[in-house]
Amino acid sequence: MSIYLYILVMALTTYLIRALPLTIFRGRIKNRFVRSFLAYVPCACLAAMTFPAILYATDSVVSGAIGLVAAIGLAFWGKSLVTVAACSCLAVYLTELALRFL
């Protein structure tokens, strides 16, 4: 019986998170600070979810960090998403190979 209560509470919580902003903010938000804050929320949430996964998805934190540095560097120089992903995966793979021989 308690599992159904948990599911109901989770459903209500999820619904309220989505419904309250629609009911509270009916018009356009005119405050520049609030608008800029809300513009960066998706990026901050994505970074908070992705960053730990990048470091701990490999056998070693070192190889994850090297892949992260490679991805940031390539993205900074304006490479495409496919190039950044492929090169960072290659950097992680080569680091993992090097760490096995050490």
Side-chain angles (χ1 to χ4, degrees), residues 2 11 15 19 40 46 53 90:
S2 65
Y15 177 74
Y40 287 111
L46 181 63
L90 182 65

Side-chain angles (χ1 to χ4, degrees), residues 9-98:
V9 169
M10 288 188 315
L12 286 173
T13 305
T14 304
Y15 177 74
L16 287 176
I17 289 172
R18 288 168 173 79
L20 281 179
L22 291 174
T23 58
I24 293 173
F25 303 114
R26 291 190 182 261
R28 181 170 169 85
I29 299 172
K30 294 181 175 81
N31 188 337
R32 284 181 35 195
F33 176 75
V34 173
R35 286 179 52 195
S36 66
F37 175 78
L38 291 175
Y40 287 111
V41 167
C43 298
C45 290
L46 181 63
M49 291 186 303
T50 306
F51 185 73
I54 289 171
L55 294 179
Y56 296 112
T58 60
D59 290 338
S60 168
V61 176
V62 174
S63 62
I66 289 175
L68 176 65
V69 169
I72 290 172
L74 289 169
F76 180 75
W77 284 308
K79 301 299 179 188
S80 70
L81 180 62
V82 175
T83 305
V84 170
C87 290
S88 61
C89 288
L90 182 65
V92 169
Y93 178 71
L94 293 175
T95 306
E96 289 287 330
L97 282 178

